[in-house]
Amino acid sequence: MIKISIPTPDITITERKQILKENEPQIKPIYGFIDFHLIPRDKGGIFLFYNINDELLFVGKARKLRQRIKKHFEGTVSPIKMHRDEVYRIDICLVENPMEREIYETYIINQLKSKYNVDKVFYK
C-alpha cells in the first residue's frame, strides 16, 4: 500500500486590503490579493484555493508557480474564472519533482473533494 500525506504549505497568502503608509507605493491588487510577490517565480509545486469558510475550491500544479496562479485570476480559460471572487486563501507547496506534483494534485483533489476540479476526480 502506498502512503501519501498532504504536504504542509510553504506559503499562504490571503485576500486582504492594503494599508498604505505615507510615501509607500501602492501595490495593484489582483482579486484582492497583494502578496503575489511572495510566490517564487522559478519554483514548481502545487497550489490550493480555499474560500473564506476553508472549503477547498481548486487544486492545481505548475512548473512556475507565480505565473500559473496569476493566470487563474487574469486569464479567460481558467476552470475557476466564474468563481474567482470566492477565493480567499491560497496555499502553496513547493514540489520540484513533476511526478510528485502530479501525484499530490490527484491525491488532494480526491481526498479533500475539491469543488471545482473536474479532471482527475474519482469520488463521484
Side-chain angles (χ1 to χ4, degrees):
M1 174 181 249
I2 299 172
K3 295 198 185 240
I4 302 171
S5 61
I6 299 170
T8 304
D10 296 296
I11 302 161
T12 297
I13 61 174
T14 56
E15 179 183 5
R16 64 185 177 94
K17 303 247 188 284
Q18 183 178 9
I19 301 168
L20 288 178
K21 296 177 183 160
E22 195 173 319
N23 298 326
E24 186 177 54
Q26 182 174 359
I27 299 170
K28 183 181 175 195
I30 301 171
Y31 278 85
F33 292 93
I34 60 170
D35 292 329
F36 279 107
H37 65 281
L38 298 175
I39 304 168
R41 290 181 188 271
D42 59 344
K43 298 281 185 187
I46 56 172
F47 53 91
L48 298 86
F49 294 157
Y50 290 90
N51 67 15
I52 200 161
N53 299 318
D54 281 335
E55 297 169 316
L56 182 61
L57 302 174
F58 186 79
V59 180
K61 65 181 181 314
R63 190 170 45 90
K64 295 185 177 185
L65 283 163
R66 186 186 312 182
Q67 179 181 339
R68 183 70 185 110
I69 292 170
K70 284 179 91 172
K71 279 186 179 181
H72 277 289
F73 290 96
E74 296 172 334
T76 58
V77 295
S78 170
I80 66 155
K81 70 181 175 188
M82 304 301 286
H83 310 284
R84 291 174 178 150
D85 291 333
E86 287 183 57
V87 179
Y88 176 75
R89 186 179 92 224
I90 303 170
D91 284 352
I92 296 128
C93 304
L94 302 177
V95 181
E96 285 300 317
N97 184 301
M99 181 65 74
E100 289 178 20
R101 285 195 297 261
E102 185 73 37
I103 292 167
Y104 279 133
E105 180 191 36
T106 303
Y107 179 77
I108 293 168
I109 288 169
N110 289 282
Q111 190 70 24
L112 301 181
K113 296 183 168 66
S114 173
K115 190 172 181 179
Y116 298 124
N117 284 93
V118 291
D119 296 337
K120 304 179 184 179
V121 173
F122 301 114
Y123 59 83
K124 287 186 177 181

